[in-house]
Amino acid sequence: MKNFKRAAAILGIVVLLAVCCLPMVFAFGSGENAAGMFRASLGMVILVPVLGYAFWMVYRLVDNKKKEADSAVKNIIFDVGQVLVKYDWEGYLKGFGFPKEEYDAMAEKIFLSQTWNERDKGELSEEEYAEKFVAALPQYESDVREVLKRSYETISPLDYAQTWTKYLKSQGYHLYILSNYCEYTLEKTRPMMSFLKNMDGIIFSCEVKQIKPEPEIYKTVLGRYNLEPSETVFLDDRAENCEAARKLGIHAIQFKNFKQAAGELEKLGVK
């Protein structure tokens, strides 16, 4: 198909060049029909590009309708962490240079704790969550507070996020965010998320006081933006979050890397 399109484009260019050269040929001609042929060729110079453009527009219209028919997916919902931004708590925590015993304790009682996940729901203030972490690690109170104070440094941009979402938007897909995110980190990192301007809707867990993989937050995004589950695909790095989406009839792709996710989307007709 690509070779056919290339050949057709080359042929079209040759025809246009030939038509454009005709008036020059007849302009220097002689005979009783020379003037008429010149006017006719001049008319072709105007007519052929107009017809070519018209045919191209019709082709584009038909091709777009075919793409719509090929893909049942109209809506794409993105998680943020490890999908559109990098989340690296381990590298961040190692950067403090804590002794192994303290590092392990911080990892377990902060980043791998249930309280850390609950923090994304935003039912308590940031200080109240800090007190919970301190209570779990009283011997490291000052370090705990410093780790939490700079915890937004776990987040960094991914170079493909803006380009990818902008492209999908240009293809006519409706894009949304559904992400577990704590209020403090969101406030600090939102300015780096340039891809948010490509979204038709945004739901962060801390703003709706709901959290994945609880079904309520999926129902919120479907209801708020009037999305049909069968026309929607959800990308998330966590298997349990994807499974929760599937239970509500939403297509789901567990994100591992950009190339893999783009390939999975293509299988659903998203190109």
Side-chain angles (χ1 to χ4, degrees):
M1 180 58 73
K2 288 183 178 179
N3 289 335
F4 172 77
K5 289 181 178 180
R6 188 180 295 113
I10 293 172
L11 179 61
I13 291 170
V14 171
V15 169
L16 283 172
L17 287 174
V19 169
C20 290
C21 289
L22 280 176
M24 296 176 62
V25 173
F26 291 115
F28 296 103
S30 59
E32 57 184 28
N33 294 325
M37 295 296 287
F38 173 74
R39 287 192 293 271
S41 62
L42 196 60
M44 289 180 65
V45 170
I46 299 171
L47 183 61
V48 169
V50 172
L51 287 175
Y53 179 75
F55 282 126
W56 171 248
M57 292 302 293
V58 170
Y59 169 78
R60 287 289 301 274
L61 181 63
V62 172
D63 190 51
N64 286 338
K65 287 185 178 295
K66 182 178 183 298
K67 285 181 179 178
E68 290 177 5
D70 289 343
S71 175
V73 172
K74 297 179 181 178
N75 316 302
I76 304 173
I77 304 175
F78 291 93
D79 179 28
V80 172
Q82 301 294 54
V83 178
L84 296 178
V85 301
K86 184 179 180 180
Y87 169 59
D88 181 18
W89 68 264
E90 292 174 286
Y92 166 71
L93 188 57
K94 286 176 182 177
F96 284 90
F98 297 136
K100 185 178 186 305
E101 182 180 352
E102 183 175 356
Y103 173 91
D104 290 343
M106 290 276 194
E108 179 186 355
K109 300 297 184 179
I110 296 180
F111 295 101
L112 299 177
S113 69
Q114 185 58 35
T115 303
W116 183 261
N117 295 329
E118 291 172 0
R119 183 169 173 247
D120 288 342
K121 201 168 185 178
E123 292 183 325
L124 303 177
S125 69
E126 183 63 17
E127 179 56 31
E128 287 174 308
Y129 285 117
E131 290 299 330
K132 281 194 168 191
F133 290 121
V134 167
L137 295 165
Q139 68 275 36
Y140 302 125
E141 179 175 357
S142 61
D143 287 342
V144 168
R145 292 191 181 279
E146 183 64 19
V147 166
L148 292 174
K149 181 180 178 181
R150 295 170 47 197
S151 59
Y152 59 87
E153 294 178 19
T154 58
I155 305 295
S156 59
L158 287 168
D159 55 6
Y160 62 76
Q162 164 64 8
T163 304
W164 190 24
T165 54
K166 184 178 180 180
Y167 168 76
L168 291 171
K169 184 74 172 177
S170 72
Q171 294 299 100
Y173 296 102
H174 302 293
L175 309 184
Y176 303 89
I177 292 293
L178 183 64
S179 182
N180 288 352
Y181 224 98
C182 86
E183 186 175 3
Y184 176 73
T185 306
L186 180 59
E187 178 185 345
K188 297 290 187 179
T189 61
R190 195 166 196 148
M192 76 170 63
M193 301 182 196
S194 58
F195 53 81
L196 291 181
K197 65 184 179 184
N198 300 324
M199 300 298 153
D200 295 285
I202 299 170
I203 290 182
F204 286 109
S205 59
C206 62
E207 295 177 336
V208 295
K209 311 305 180 190
Q210 298 170 335
I211 195 169
K212 297 177 295 183
E214 296 172 359
E216 288 74 21
I217 195 168
Y218 300 91
K219 293 176 182 177
T220 294
V221 71
L222 293 174
R224 180 176 295 183
Y225 302 112
N226 196 29
L227 307 181
E228 286 293 332
S230 61
E231 297 175 347
T232 304
V233 60
F234 173 57
L235 289 86
D236 195 292
D237 64 304
R238 293 180 176 271
E240 62 270 26
N241 294 344
C242 292
E243 185 56 32
R246 293 188 188 104
K247 288 180 179 179
L248 292 173
I250 303 169
H251 301 285
I253 295 171
Q254 185 177 359
F255 186 96
K256 297 175 183 176
N257 57 65
F258 169 69
K259 184 176 181 180
Q260 165 264 335
E264 295 289 331
L265 282 174
E266 190 168 346
K267 291 177 183 177
L268 291 173
V270 178
K271 300 177 182 178

